[in-house]
């Protein structure tokens, strides 16, 4: 099984308090991982290191070429006009943008839109974007929601 993420002896401290002291981790393709811990123990910091938005004080983070790391923020989005699909797909902004563009272009009937549609379709094929859309819809359904549901209509926010 191929390794998609390796952390070796990762160090991170804020001030005199170490959050990560020699953390090591190896995740293989297909594995599922759960982080558990009390508030302030370094879970979010570890995820930020993996996502590349926080640089560790020491150690090594290895992500093989072609592996894409995406983050779905912990914070709830503003209610606005976003749909449940928009929020979940936001973890993969490029693929989501291409799917939205494909949908928009497919409703047009000009020669220019057909050329643009072909280009978008090729990009989606390269990103495996069709499976992405299907997986997002499956996850949303598992939570008993519908993709088109507006976030603003959820009573009291997210379930």
């Amino acid at each position: 099984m191929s390794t998609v993420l390796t952390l070796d002896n990762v160090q991170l401290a804020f001030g005199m308090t170490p959050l990560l002291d020699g953390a090591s981790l190896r995740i293989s393709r297909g594995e599922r991982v759960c982080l558990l811990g009390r508030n302030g123990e370094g879970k979010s910091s570890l995820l930020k290191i993996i996502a590349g938005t926080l640089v560790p004080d020491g150690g090594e983070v290895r992500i093989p070429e072609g592996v894409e790391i995406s983050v779905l923020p912990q914070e709830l989005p503003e209610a606005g006009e976003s749909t449940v699909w928009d929020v979940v797909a936001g973890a993969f902004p490029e693929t989501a943008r291409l799917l939205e563009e494909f949908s928009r272009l497919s409703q047009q009937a000009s020669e220019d839109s057909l050329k643009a549609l072909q280009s978008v379709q090729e990009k989606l094929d390269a990103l495996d974007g069709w499976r992405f859309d299907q997986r997002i819809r499956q996850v949303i359904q598992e939570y008993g929601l519908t993709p088109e549901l507006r976030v603003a209509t959820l009573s009291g926010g997210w379930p």
Side-chain angles (χ1 to χ4, degrees), residues 47-123:
L47 292 174
K48 288 176 184 176
I49 289 171
I50 291 169
T53 60
L54 181 62
V55 177
D57 298 329
E60 186 176 5
V61 178
R62 290 189 306 274
I63 301 170
E65 188 175 325
V67 172
E68 181 179 351
I69 304 292
S70 295
V71 176
L72 187 60
Q74 286 180 296
E75 299 80 29
L76 296 177
E78 294 295 321
E81 290 299 311
S82 296
T83 65
V84 171
W85 191 95
D86 294 333
V87 173
V88 176
F92 298 89
E94 175 64 11
T95 305
R97 183 191 66 73
L98 288 168
L99 285 167
E100 289 171 8
E101 188 175 351
F102 184 88
S103 177
R104 181 183 58 77
L105 289 168
S106 65
Q107 296 174 16
Q108 299 174 7
S110 70
E111 190 173 321
D112 289 339
S113 68
L114 290 176
K115 288 179 183 176
L117 190 64
Q118 182 179 358
S119 173
V120 170
Q121 182 173 350
E122 289 170 1
K123 291 175 185 173

Side-chain angles (χ1 to χ4, degrees), residues 81-85 137 140 145-151 153:
E81 290 299 311
S82 296
T83 65
V84 171
W85 191 95
R137 290 179 186 280
I140 291 169
L145 300 170
T146 58
E148 298 77 21
L149 182 65
R150 299 266 178 224
V151 173
T153 64

